[in-house]
Amino acid sequence: MTQNKSTNIRERFIAAAKSNGDRYKKYSVHGYEIFLNISESIMMYARAIERFEPAKFAFLKRYLKPGMVFVDVGANKGDFSLLAAKHVGPTGRVIAFEPEPENCAWMRRSIGANGFTNIVLVQKALSNRTGTANLYLGKKSGWHTLKPDQENRNEGAIAVSTCTLDNALEGRCDVLKIDVEGAENEVIDGAAETIGTHRPVILVDLHPQLGAEVADIQRKLIDQSYLAFDMMDLGAPLQRLPNAPIDVLFLPAERRPR
């Protein structure tokens, strides 16, 4: 996004947030309905105007087909789950994991508003073990994390249930999206059998600044014959992941981005 575009969207966000007040409304985006409080952040406003993570949305719109199974780890308000439900259709499935109760409540309202019956919402955090953990609450609803002592994530903590994808998933997985604010290693460790057996396409937001060990993630997936691509530029595999937050697409070696 250019500086002029960034400035323009920020100005529009400030005006829209002032008009909206601190409340949720229903928005029509990408062919589905979703409840959002756009006053929360510029990223929530970007969702409402279809400017949020455009490369990821574009890829999923091209890739997802009827009958596929999409697993959404860290679903937040459900943007990608709702998109996937529309594209995989009634013969497909969406399994969404989100531990924070308010996020789940609004996501359930969005699911109901669309009449989707192919989404299963699991109010748990995925990890490398089954049990309970503290979820440290962030200033924004997408900032909650299992990692303690992180900046802007000190608004209290709640106990949440945890499980592994290997234990929770029944059947196959075609596309796996992970956005868990620093707990990426634990999620991938708990999904090793699923990844090895079903060979899903994996979209992961990497957060090294929150404790994710990027080199370890890359090594484990390379060992499973995956290639890494920058979601912003799918032209060539990444030989080494940069030590910065980045959206990465991991593809089994026999697949290539379209």
Side-chain angles (χ1 to χ4, degrees):
M1 187 181 296
T2 66
Q3 184 174 358
N4 286 342
K5 287 183 178 179
S6 297
T7 301
N8 182 258
I9 194 174
R10 183 169 295 279
E11 291 174 351
R12 291 165 61 190
F13 160 65
I14 292 170
K18 183 177 180 180
S19 173
N20 180 74
D22 187 19
R23 58 178 174 168
Y24 280 81
K25 293 181 181 178
K26 187 169 64 174
Y27 295 86
S28 297
V29 296
H30 300 290
Y32 60 79
E33 309 288 319
I34 185 169
F35 283 93
L36 300 169
N37 178 1
I38 63 167
S39 302
E40 178 189 307
S41 68
I42 194 168
M43 299 311 294
M44 284 296 166
Y45 175 67
R47 286 168 163 88
I49 61 171
E50 297 189 0
R51 296 282 291 277
F52 178 68
E53 298 193 332
K56 195 179 295 183
F57 272 96
F59 176 82
L60 289 174
K61 286 178 179 180
R62 291 196 309 269
Y63 190 85
L64 290 171
K65 299 292 186 292
M68 283 188 170
V69 177
F70 178 80
V71 176
D72 189 354
V73 184
N76 195 284
K77 296 299 189 298
D79 349 34
F80 294 108
S81 287
L82 296 166
L83 176 77
K86 180 176 181 292
H87 283 266
V88 304
T91 62
R93 281 197 308 152
V94 175
I95 302 112
F97 294 88
E98 171 55 48
E100 202 278 322
E102 185 175 355
N103 282 343
C104 285
W106 285 108
M107 187 171 169
R108 289 189 188 99
R109 287 195 64 178
S110 296
I111 293 170
N114 290 279
F116 288 144
T117 59
N118 57 351
I119 300 180
V120 177
L121 176 57
V122 182
Q123 191 171 320
K124 291 184 178 182
L126 277 197
S127 185
N128 56 0
R129 63 181 183 84
T130 297
T132 59
N134 284 330
L135 182 70
Y136 299 93
L137 303 179
K139 292 181 180 296
K140 310 298 182 185
S141 66
W143 290 358
H144 310 321
T145 181
L146 295 177
K147 300 291 185 176
D149 304 319
Q150 301 298 325
E151 186 177 1
N152 293 320
R153 292 156 174 87
N154 53 6
E155 301 295 304
I158 59 173
V160 297
S161 297
T162 65
C163 63
T164 69
L165 183 60
D166 288 343
N167 287 337
L169 186 66
E170 296 181 2
R172 75 178 195 275
C173 173
D174 297 302
V175 181
L176 173 61
K177 170 250 168 186
I178 303 170
D179 186 357
V180 289
E181 300 296 302
E184 295 90 294
N185 298 79
E186 290 85 348
V187 170
I188 288 171
D189 286 347
E193 183 179 342
T194 297
I195 292 169
T197 300
H198 300 290
R199 312 293 290 157
V201 167
I202 304 172
L203 296 89
V204 58
D205 284 26
L206 295 171
H207 299 88
Q209 80 282 17
L210 298 179
E213 297 177 8
V214 174
D216 180 62
I217 292 170
Q218 187 174 28
R219 177 184 58 78
K220 287 174 179 174
L221 292 177
I222 286 174
D223 287 348
Q224 297 246 37
S225 298
Y226 273 78
L227 299 174
F229 295 82
D230 185 344
M231 281 298 304
M232 300 301 293
D233 179 8
L234 300 179
L238 292 167
Q239 299 303 314
R240 182 177 180 183
L241 299 185
N243 187 27
I246 186 172
D247 289 344
V248 178
L249 172 69
F250 286 99
L251 296 178
E254 64 271 14
R255 301 183 186 178
R256 294 292 186 274
R258 307 179 198 182

